[in-house]
Amino acid sequence: HETASNALTPRTHMADPEWVTATQTALGPLIKRPKLTAALLSKPPFRFLHDIVSEVTRATGFADGLFSEDELQSGRIKEKELKIAYLSKIFKCVEVASGGALGVRPGKVVAGMEPENTNAFLVALARVATSGVDNAGVVASTLDAIAASAKSSSSSPPASAPPVQAEPLPPPPPPPQPPPPPPQQQQQ
């Protein structure tokens, strides 16, 4: 039977999810901080992810030049929209470098959801950061893609909108005619 002290003892005998150990294996040799603990990787907070990206950049040069001065300081990224913009930028950079889609949604990551996908991103980050890609070319392509996306999204309908018809629409039907007045009775 369990004693009260055993019930309060953390369960260290449970195995970490595979995606946590994959992240630790991929990033562990690259960075010494932040500590890649199972608890943080199981629900990675934004600051933790920002610190990982910053350390990977320091260690490998990958994504150097991608972020503005304000974006490089995690303390200046407080609002949800800014966090999503930061993550969108690094996700796009990893996609450009790897040539494939990540399948991770920045809004879900900021909300602490889908940690498996977040860890898959971290593994992909480690892979491309150590692959010898042309960092300057990857950063330039990423920034171009982000600028093109911003330009097209502000001047055209969203991709989910139906295509615009090339042929003009037929004219609308004429408005309905008012009903005839009721017959007037003659007064006597």
Side-chain angles (χ1 to χ4, degrees), residues 3-54:
T3 64
S5 64
N6 281 347
L8 299 175
T9 305
R11 293 189 230 169
T12 55
H13 65 279
M14 290 182 65
D16 293 329
E18 219 174 273
W19 39 269
V20 166
T21 54
T23 303
Q24 291 167 328
T25 301
L27 283 173
L30 284 180
I31 61 175
K32 297 301 171 224
R33 63 183 175 90
K35 294 286 184 212
L36 303 172
T37 65
L40 286 170
L41 290 169
S42 294
K43 189 170 178 168
F46 176 79
R47 172 70 186 261
F48 177 66
L49 295 172
H50 189 284
D51 289 350
I52 289 173
V53 170
S54 298

Side-chain angles (χ1 to χ4, degrees), residues 29-112:
L30 284 180
I31 61 175
K32 297 301 171 224
R33 63 183 175 90
K35 294 286 184 212
L36 303 172
T37 65
L40 286 170
L41 290 169
S42 294
K43 189 170 178 168
F46 176 79
R47 172 70 186 261
F48 177 66
L49 295 172
H50 189 284
D51 289 350
I52 289 173
V53 170
S54 298
E55 284 301 308
V56 167
T57 299
R58 271 193 271 288
T60 66
F62 180 75
D64 189 27
L66 181 66
F67 297 107
S68 70
E69 284 301 314
D70 283 345
E71 291 170 322
L72 292 173
Q73 298 177 30
S74 62
R76 294 192 177 175
I77 305 175
K78 299 277 188 214
E79 292 82 27
K80 181 179 179 180
E81 293 77 24
L82 295 176
K83 292 175 181 182
I84 289 172
Y86 176 91
L87 291 173
S88 296
K89 212 179 228 190
I90 190 63
F91 293 169
K92 175 57 84 178
C93 190
V94 171
E95 288 176 344
V96 167
S98 68
L102 289 175
V104 60
R105 298 178 288 184
K108 295 288 187 182
V109 173
V110 169

